Amino acid sequence: MADPPVLCARHAFGLKGDVSSPIHYGDEATTIYPCGHSVVLYNSEAKDQELIPGLPQTKGITALALAPSRKWLCVAERGLETAQIGVYDVVHRKKKRVVQYQDIQTDTIVHMAFSHDGKYLLTQGSGPEWTLVLWAFDKKTVKPVGSTRTSDGSRSRVRMASFSPRDHGIIAASGDNGILRFLRVQEHQFRAIPFNLKRDPQDYLCHSFVGNRDALVLAGENGDLLYFENFEFRALLTGPPGSKTEATSSLVAFSKGFVAGGIEGSLRVFEKSDDPRAHYECQRVFHVNDATLMDLTVSPSEETLLIASSDLALTTFNLANCDVANADDSKCFESLATSYHAAGVLALDTCARKPLIATVGSDHLLKVWDYRRKVCEVSRKFREPPTSVALHPSGLYVLVVFPSQAKLLALLENEASDVAEVEALGTSHVSFARGGHYFCLVNNSVVTVYDTFSCEKRYMLRAASRVATVCWQKGDRRLATVGRDGSCHTWDLATESRAEEAEGAPKAPFYDGAASVDLKRVFCACEDNTIREFGQKAVGQTAVTEFAPLLSIKTSESVGSLVLDERVLFTGSLSEEKPGFVYAHKLTGDDWATREPLKFPGHSTNITCIKLSYDRSQLFSGGSDGSIYVYDCSDVDQKGRTYVRSKTRDDDYTEEILVRRDELTSGVKEKADLANKVDELVLNNEYQLRLKDMQFKEELLKHQEKYSAELELDGQKYDALNDKKKKMEDAYEQQIKELEDQHRAEFRDLELQYDSKINSEVARYQGLVAARDAENRSWDQANLELTDSHTAEKKELQEAFDVKVEEEKRLQEAVRVETAELRQQFREEKVLVEEDADNEVDDEKASYESKLITEKRLTQKLRDENGLSKKKFAQLTKDVEDQKEEMASLRDREFDLRESIKNLEKDVQGHKKEIRERDETIADKEKRIFDLKKKNQELEKFKFVLDYKIKELKRQIEPRESEIADLRRQVEEMDLELEQYHKSNAALDLMIGELRLKLDGMSKELSQQKALIKAGEAYTRKFRRDLAMCAAGVDDQNDLKAGVKELYQRYVLDEDKRKDSEESTAGFDLQAEYARQREHLERNVAQLKRKVLKDEKMYKTDKKRMASEGKLLTETMAKLKAVHAEDLQRREDLAVKAEEQSSDPRLAEIVAGLGERAQMLEELMGEAGLLHPPPLPQ
């Protein structure tokens, strides 16, 4: 299995705005758009992305085109010499091929479009040639089949070209300086289609084919929408009366009409008009934002419209409901994923406790992103342009630097609120300490360290040159600075002095720097396209080390930012002409400086900043194109192999946020109000449910009686049908028996008949076989005779043909001689004919010259007459134009009058509808008054029931108080018993520990004794064997003597030595065992002490909790009593008032409220156990 890559692009925030047709729908849930040097496939349902990287040897993406089948995606990129087109399979996410056209003579394609059947692709090249190329497109090959020029010069820019949706042989192209071309493709050749447009030339911003016919809408820079049909100008489309004239920057067609996006953020929806003279009418006008709407696209179901604006925002609009949408409501538009930076990203930072990154851009925006949920959490715009940003490790604060000051902001739920301001004129860099208690500001050559929470100055470090960046050491006791003059310093904060200093050789300004957590390795990016490493270097042959430059690495591109992992150095390129790449240098092995770094695509321009997450699992990069890339990082071991790094789990991140006190108070209050409303609704719903249950029970009883009667009738019917079924079964069984007998008889007759037929057929077959054999013998004889005759005839014919061939050769020789004579005769006649022809030509020339002089005179006369006719025709044409303009003004006036009549009729209908609605409202109110009166009577009855219930509650509350007091006494007694139980448990735990230790010691001693017994038995067996061997030589005294000496040496002298060594070893082991047992017992005692303290703490906590709950219960009971007494007093007052004012309309509402509160009181007391208390413990 292959190792995973060091970096893998996981998500991208941003939109590349200088791409033609940048947005497309892959399907209902998938959106395709460019970001940086990649194409993003965003799934709006799963909220995730898939990235298609651009080609490595190109300068950036310029145009996109999606086939009508939504399977093939073409990406045009600016090449080094010639523009290149990448073809991708969107369904399988694969690159199929890369094509280019050498004769296009440009490195940029400004627009691409597919035909309606997907068989052809159209690409428009840039100046100065402005070559339009037609490609034959299929799944196997993409090849150019024709080309033409659509503009004559570099100033006349062609913006777009597209196919007709009805016929791929018709093409339209438009651009600046009045460029409009209609072309027809015949046999892969472009032929211009003539048309007449008598209007002043202007820059045409876009066009789109609409409808099923060859109809085209063309947008001009002065706000005109020109409508063409069959290559002729038909009408000028306008917006609603009184609307502002705005130039259209984008057009998209759909089944009902088309949508136009303006340069000031307006969105106009045109639909087919019922009036054939009006063609299309503007139905609705919406305002998206104040930015130019660059491109529009419609989903396959035509329910959603996707909008790309010049502030690099992607917005969706519900096109299916545009007829009922409110034009002034901003809720009609929703952001596709989240908002992006509209300009370059200047700086970014990340934190440790939350999955957040903070960025500031040239658009004066601060944005805080959640890279796990892939959304922008907080966005704030400043008047002053920010230059740098730092995020607190906790993720609760962010520090933004401006040219004149630095602001500390608190990150609330949806906003960033000012906390403090620090005067920081000319600050170029800011960063928080790793612990978050300090932050430093870099002003030229001075590094000032502030306290985060008081914003007071703590330390001031003065370097010798301008400081480019600052790196903190783990523990925040030291920091390192990288200077613009090529120097690197480390500082001790306690003494505010330089701890170590090193200078590069030769000196070169540094862009940025990165250091390890212990500041032992520092890498700097230089202006001379090198990366320099600083670190500890030995001085001479001694063990003393100093901080000095170690090596210098030459890079292929200029490096602007870098960040250091444990074994990988990541750098970002600064190339303006090429896309921005992230380079990964593996710092493993001695030859790492000479190896080529790994290259990963991302941004379309230079990379301004890169950062690593605190868990080192993700890398973030920001570019000057406004995009932000999130990469997954793999870990690298000491051998250079990569493996997937584990990420921080979501549970490990904190969920804490900062909230304003007033918001919290209002939220609590709103929560309480909602809780009260919920309680009221619950009571009302329960009452309605009881009524419905009673109603349903009655209906159920009726249905049960009805269905039981029907069931009895059905049972009787079933019995009758069952009897009828049995009778029919008996009859059918009898018929089946009769039919079986009849069939058996017929089968026997047929069997006899067919046996006789088979015998006759067999006899006939045998006769035919004999006849066939006879015919075969006769045919063989005839065939032999024919073969002999054919051979003889063939020989005769061959002899005859030989004679004819000889005769033909003689004839050919005679024809050849005759042909030579005829050729000579032809040459002589040709000379004579040419002389005659020359004479005739001279005669004809003289006659035609005289005729030519006569025709010239006649032509001059006709020219004079034609001039007079042209003058008359021009006068007549002018009169016709005047008449047309007058007719057009009259039509406009008639249209305005009709619109005013329609509006007045709508007003009349609206007034009538309002009158009807008011009549209905009056009737409803009268009905409501009648219902309230009826409900008032029911509440009077309910009042009597409540009085009785309140008296019952009074009687039940008094005995419950005495029971609660008894329970409290029992709780105190149980607390004392529980404390005794805890003490006895602690003592028993100690005894158990001691007994376990004794048991372990006894078991070890027992095992040792068993081992000694086994060793003794083995020793005895060995001695007996040796003794038996010695006794075998008892006859020989010398052998017996030698054997006894050997036994004495082995079992007496050697055994004494072994015992001495074992005693010394045993003493050593005994001391070690004693120390180990003592340490074990001390650990057990410490653990038991901690357990006792923990149990005491838990007991105190439980006792405190039970006391607080008892107190809360007592307070609740007191409140309930007070509420109960207050309700009784109110009821008595209401009873008195009811007698005085029996017709008061508010009485019903007051009594209803009293009933609801009484019911709620009853439920609360029931929950508290005051109505039905639980049984007392035995």
Side-chain angles (χ1 to χ4, degrees), residues 4-204:
V6 177
L7 284 183
C8 179
R10 185 62 56 201
H11 198 85
F13 298 100
L15 172 68
K16 185 172 171 57
D18 57 351
V19 176
S20 177
S21 299
I23 53 176
H24 299 275
Y25 269 105
D27 52 42
E28 285 295 329
T30 305
T31 309
I32 302 172
Y33 60 90
C35 177
H37 194 52
S38 302
V39 178
V40 177
L41 279 69
Y42 176 73
N43 190 308
S44 57
E45 294 179 353
K47 305 294 183 186
D48 61 355
Q49 291 182 353
E50 291 188 41
L51 300 177
I52 300 177
L55 301 175
Q57 300 299 327
T58 58
K59 299 179 182 179
I61 299 171
T62 59
L64 297 181
L66 184 67
S69 63
R70 304 187 189 277
K71 181 180 179 181
W72 304 105
L73 176 68
C74 289
V75 182
E77 300 188 34
R78 184 181 294 111
L80 300 178
E81 295 180 357
T82 305
Q84 298 185 9
I85 302 173
V87 182
Y88 299 89
D89 186 348
V90 178
V91 177
H92 300 95
R93 310 295 196 262
K94 293 181 180 179
K95 182 174 73 174
K96 290 297 183 181
R97 62 187 63 86
V98 179
V99 296
Q100 59 184 359
Y101 184 55
Q102 297 295 338
D103 296 337
I104 198 172
Q105 297 180 1
T106 182
D107 63 345
T108 304
I109 291 176
V110 298
H111 190 77
M112 293 193 300
F114 273 95
S115 60
H116 67 282
D117 54 3
K119 294 182 179 179
Y120 291 95
L121 175 68
L122 201 63
T123 60
Q124 175 63 61
S126 64
E129 296 298 326
W130 301 105
T131 305
L132 183 67
V133 183
L134 180 67
W135 304 74
F137 189 95
D138 57 37
K139 62 181 181 180
K140 293 184 179 179
T141 59
V142 179
K143 58 182 180 180
V145 294
S147 63
T148 186
R149 291 186 61 182
T150 52
S151 177
D152 298 331
S154 59
R155 294 185 179 179
S156 299
R157 181 176 62 159
V158 179
R159 293 180 180 269
M160 63 183 301
S162 60
F163 288 98
S164 169
R166 188 177 62 87
D167 183 7
H168 61 246
I170 296 174
I171 296 171
S174 62
D176 296 347
N177 294 330
I179 291 179
L180 179 61
R181 303 281 187 272
F182 288 106
L183 304 171
R184 187 183 299 278
V185 181
Q186 293 179 347
E187 296 180 355
H188 299 161
Q189 297 294 324
F190 291 90
R191 303 184 187 277
I193 301 175
F195 66 97
N196 188 14
L197 179 62
K198 294 181 179 180
R199 301 184 68 87
D200 295 335
Q202 57 178 318
D203 291 347
Y204 297 124

Side-chain angles (χ1 to χ4, degrees), residues 1161-1174:
L1161 178 63
E1162 183 179 356
E1163 290 181 357
L1164 289 172
M1165 295 179 72
E1167 292 176 358
L1170 299 177
L1171 293 179
H1172 302 287

Side-chain angles (χ1 to χ4, degrees), residues 283-411:
Q283 300 294 332
R284 300 298 300 276
V285 179
F286 301 90
H287 187 74
V288 183
N289 50 31
D290 296 332
T292 301
L293 306 186
M294 300 186 302
D295 192 22
L296 308 173
T297 187
V298 180
S299 64
S301 64
E302 295 190 352
E303 292 184 356
T304 307
L305 177 72
L306 182 62
I307 306 165
S309 51
S310 60
D311 59 353
L312 306 185
L314 292 175
T315 310
T316 59
F317 173 69
N318 194 339
L319 189 61
N321 298 330
C322 68
D323 296 335
V324 297
N326 186 4
D328 298 329
D329 190 3
S330 61
K331 295 181 180 179
C332 298
F333 303 93
E334 296 181 358
S335 179
L336 176 66
T338 186
S339 59
Y340 304 130
H341 278 289
V345 177
L346 300 177
L348 68 81
D349 198 11
T350 183
C351 64
R353 299 295 298 150
K354 290 187 177 184
L356 300 178
I357 55 174
T359 60
V360 292
S362 303
D363 52 358
H364 296 200
L365 280 176
L366 162 70
K367 287 184 177 291
V368 180
W369 314 79
D370 188 329
Y371 56 84
R372 288 291 176 93
R373 296 195 299 117
K374 301 164 184 142
V375 294
C376 178
E377 293 281 352
V378 178
S379 179
R380 179 175 173 180
K381 190 164 188 177
F382 302 98
R383 294 182 180 178
E384 198 175 3
T387 58
S388 185
V389 68
L391 193 60
H392 194 269
S394 66
L396 300 176
Y397 300 95
V398 63
L399 187 65
V400 183
V401 175
F402 302 93
S404 61
Q405 62 180 349
K407 285 187 177 182
L408 182 65
L409 308 175
L411 295 179

